[in-house]
Amino acid sequence: MEGNNRKSGIIRLKRCPSIIGHAAAVGKKEHEGPLGAQFDYHDATDRFGQKTWELSEGEMQHIALNLALAKAKVPADSLGALFAGDLINQCTSSSYGLLDINAPFFGLYGACSTSAEGLILASLWMNSTESGSAAVVTSSHNCSAERQFRFPVEYGGIRTPTSQWTVTGAAAFILGDGQGAYITELMPGKSIDRGITDPNNMGAAMAPAAVDTLTRYFRESGMKPSDFDAIFTGDLGFEGHSIVNEMMCADGINLSDNYLDCGLLIYDREGQDMHAGGSGCGCSASVLSAYILPKLEKGEYHDILFVATGALMSPMLVLQGQSIPGIAHLVRITKERNL
Amino acid sequence: MKNTTEYAVYAGKRAKKSDLLPDCLRAFLTGGLICAGAQGMSELFLSLRIAEETVRILVPMILIFLTALLTGLGIFDNLAGFCGAGTLVPITGFANAVVSPALDSKNEGLVLGLGAKLFSVAGPVILYGTSASVVWGVLYWALGQLR
């Protein structure tokens, strides 16, 4: 790794791994959304053939990983390592869902930032080992998340305009040295708490973390937002996306039109009654697989920033009156290995 | 925006709030419709010469059954998303608050799942509702003694 000075925090990879295979499996609402046709697999019942929502989420990860492995033509037991995460306590969707994948396993929790966290760790793994490949899988399931973080699935209540809808989706990425988009730079995020206590306004809780990571990145790389084809934040939704625009502008960095948010891309917010947009570990991951990477592979994009954002929220701590910290990890993905 | 509270105030101010007037209007109309329907059922049963005491039990039972059925079919939460307090305030809201955790936790077993979680949403209403009625009962009795 070059330029690994402590001040910058930007990690420039010496061995830039390429994403040699990727796939996304989603639920009904995601399939009905604007990106519907681009996902590799969907289940209209959201159950994926399983009896409980937690097992459904695990199965969704399993499907996504197997599809990605097949595309990459990598047998599961040759994976150097598997980095997987979800929103469920003890990371069970990942550990149970991927039980039969015979590869060294790391369970991750970074809330909705887990996709970028996994890509960062897998890239570092590739740079510090002789491994030929590593996999990253993340997922979220609306029903398992509702149960754990909010109310029973069938409980009827009104959602506030700033609330986001947890995406039912999983995506897997196989990192290797073959054909595919390249991961060239990383910037791990810091957890930042700016005092938001409303669990129905996750966008506002995560926005300061996204601003911190992006500001540090632009300041320290000397680049401008317009140097990139697009900048994607994880799942800030309408509220967080607007806050980031405002705060960055106040900081003298104009993000302009090439700043997009995965939480805004995955659903038709008005038509599907999604309030502020989508969220969850499966949101940024499935948008990366179904929307962003294909554009890089086709050459529509050459250089993008992928900044997955997470609200490190615990329902218990919120009840204890604590505010919600956010985190945002940055991954720079390019079409060519050498910029 | 330098410090935590300043940001929280800024975020709180810019966050769009629920539209109170349309929400209230929908609650009034749908809640009213449910109550009018229940009253209609009540009148019908009375006209069929069913005893008033039985009718008073029969009507809430029907509402609870319909709510449980719609909750089980996955329809009630969508209805409630539209009606808001219109379905929450009548006995339908209470029934949904009991049936939905039951459905949710049935996979964790009848005792530690369903049994333990059944009142996880409605529990506070039962606790503070009965407590308040006890307090009011004591007051009522004390006031009666003063007279």
Side-chain angles (χ1 to χ4, degrees):
Chain A
M1 279 160 269
E2 300 156 11
N4 191 6
N5 76 61
R6 255 178 225 167
K7 193 187 147 214
S8 84
I10 298 176
I11 300 166
R12 294 197 172 88
L13 296 169
K14 200 170 181 184
R15 177 187 180 191
C16 296
S18 52
I19 302 171
I20 56 174
H22 57 89
V26 297
K28 180 172 186 276
K29 282 197 160 69
E30 295 66 28
H31 181 67
E32 289 167 353
L35 306 181
Q38 285 145 267
F39 299 115
D40 301 85
Y41 186 96
H42 86 280
D43 184 330
T45 66
D46 287 350
R47 291 222 171 244
F48 298 88
Q50 301 295 311
K51 200 178 161 205
T52 73
W53 298 123
E54 290 71 22
L55 294 177
S56 306
E57 185 175 344
E59 180 58 22
M60 200 163 56
Q61 283 208 5
H62 191 245
I63 292 169
L65 179 58
N66 279 318
L67 287 171
L69 285 167
K71 284 191 191 176
K73 298 188 178 71
V74 170
D77 53 13
S78 74
L79 281 174
L82 179 52
F83 297 84
D86 56 86
L87 294 174
I88 301 310
N89 289 339
Q90 292 88 34
C91 251
T92 38
S93 304
S94 308
S95 50
Y96 279 64
L98 306 176
L99 261 180
D100 71 341
I101 306 292
N102 189 23
F105 173 82
F106 295 94
L108 309 178
Y109 187 83
C112 315
S113 74
T114 312
S115 54
E117 182 184 2
L119 290 173
I120 288 176
L121 293 172
S123 302
L124 294 175
W125 169 274
M126 296 283 288
N127 271 270
S128 52
T129 66
E130 300 293 311
S131 258
S133 59
V136 178
V137 195
T138 62
S139 71
S140 53
H141 195 300
N142 182 272
C143 297
S144 61
E146 283 294 311
R147 285 193 68 185
Q148 181 176 300
F149 290 96
R150 297 179 192 97
F151 284 108
V153 176
E154 297 300 336
Y155 180 71
I158 279 202
R159 292 161 60 234
T160 63
T162 53
S163 68
Q164 290 173 254
W165 185 268
T166 307
V167 165
T168 299
F173 307 91
I174 314 298
L175 271 53
D177 293 311
Q179 284 284 312
Y182 295 94
I183 296 176
T184 51
E185 286 181 349
L186 315 168
M187 185 180 235
K190 302 171 180 178
S191 61
I192 288 175
D193 183 352
R194 298 286 293 272
I196 299 294
T197 49
D198 179 4
N200 292 311
N201 195 357
M202 296 291 204
M206 295 185 279
V211 170
D212 176 78
T213 303
L214 284 168
T215 310
R216 281 193 297 132
Y217 182 81
F218 289 126
R219 211 157 272 167
E220 292 156 17
S221 67
M223 297 188 74
K224 303 183 296 298
S226 55
D227 293 334
F228 296 92
D229 296 307
I231 296 159
F232 295 89
T233 46
D235 47 1
L236 295 175
F238 178 76
E239 193 66 14
H241 181 262
S242 328
I243 293 177
V244 166
N245 259 325
E246 277 181 27
M247 287 177 77
M248 295 289 288
C249 218
D251 268 353
I253 301 171
N254 190 5
L255 286 172
S256 72
D257 289 345
N258 62 352
Y259 169 40
L260 303 165
D261 184 75
C262 300
L264 290 173
L265 290 166
I266 195 160
Y267 297 122
D268 170 5
R269 248 177 4 108
E270 300 294 324
Q272 293 185 286
D273 192 26
M274 285 302 172
H275 298 242
S279 70
C281 297
C283 179
S284 57
S286 56
V287 173
L288 177 63
S289 172
Y291 181 82
I292 306 173
L293 289 175
K295 281 186 185 283
L296 278 158
E297 288 153 3
K298 279 183 225 151
E300 283 177 50
Y301 289 157
H302 290 272
D303 196 356
I304 65 114
L305 292 180
F306 176 70
V307 188
T309 47
L312 304 170
M313 195 270 277
S314 147
M316 194 186 285
L317 274 286
V318 166
L319 291 178
Q320 290 175 9
Q322 299 300 310
S323 49
I324 304 164
I327 192 159
H329 296 297
L330 179 147
V331 179
R332 183 176 178 186
I333 309 175
T334 59
K335 183 170 166 48
E336 312 295 337
R337 188 190 295 268
N338 300 310
L339 298 167
Chain B
M1 282 160 279
K2 289 279 184 283
N3 58 46
T4 297
T5 40
E6 213 179 306
Y7 174 74
V9 170
Y10 153 79
K13 264 191 197 151
R14 74 187 305 293
K16 194 170 172 262
K17 307 287 179 296
S18 298
D19 293 329
L20 208 59
L21 192 68
D23 281 357
C24 286
L25 204 67
R26 279 202 305 268
F28 177 75
L29 291 174
T30 54
L33 201 68
I34 292 172
C35 295
Q39 187 63 40
M41 273 192 272
S42 170
E43 300 292 335
L44 178 73
F45 294 147
L46 287 172
S47 75
L48 295 172
R49 306 228 173 129
I50 299 172
E52 196 181 339
E53 231 167 73
T54 314
V55 172
R56 276 195 209 153
I57 302 169
L58 205 56
V59 174
M61 268 176 67
I62 291 171
L63 288 182
I64 290 169
F65 170 76
L66 287 175
T67 304
L69 185 69
L70 291 175
T71 303
L73 293 174
I75 297 168
F76 189 88
D77 57 332
N78 299 330
L79 272 179
F82 176 79
C83 306
T87 44
L88 182 80
V89 175
I91 202 163
T92 47
F94 193 81
N96 171 249
V98 176
V99 176
S100 59
L103 277 173
D104 235 34
S105 48
K106 66 181 195 302
N107 286 321
E108 283 91 59
L110 284 176
V111 178
L112 295 176
L114 195 148
K117 298 278 171 61
L118 192 66
F119 296 108
S120 59
V121 183
V125 182
I126 299 172
L127 172 67
Y128 296 112
T130 41
S131 303
S133 66
V134 168
V135 171
W136 174 240
V138 170
L139 280 173
Y140 189 74
W141 174 80
L143 287 170
Q145 292 296 310
L146 284 176
R147 247 189 247 160

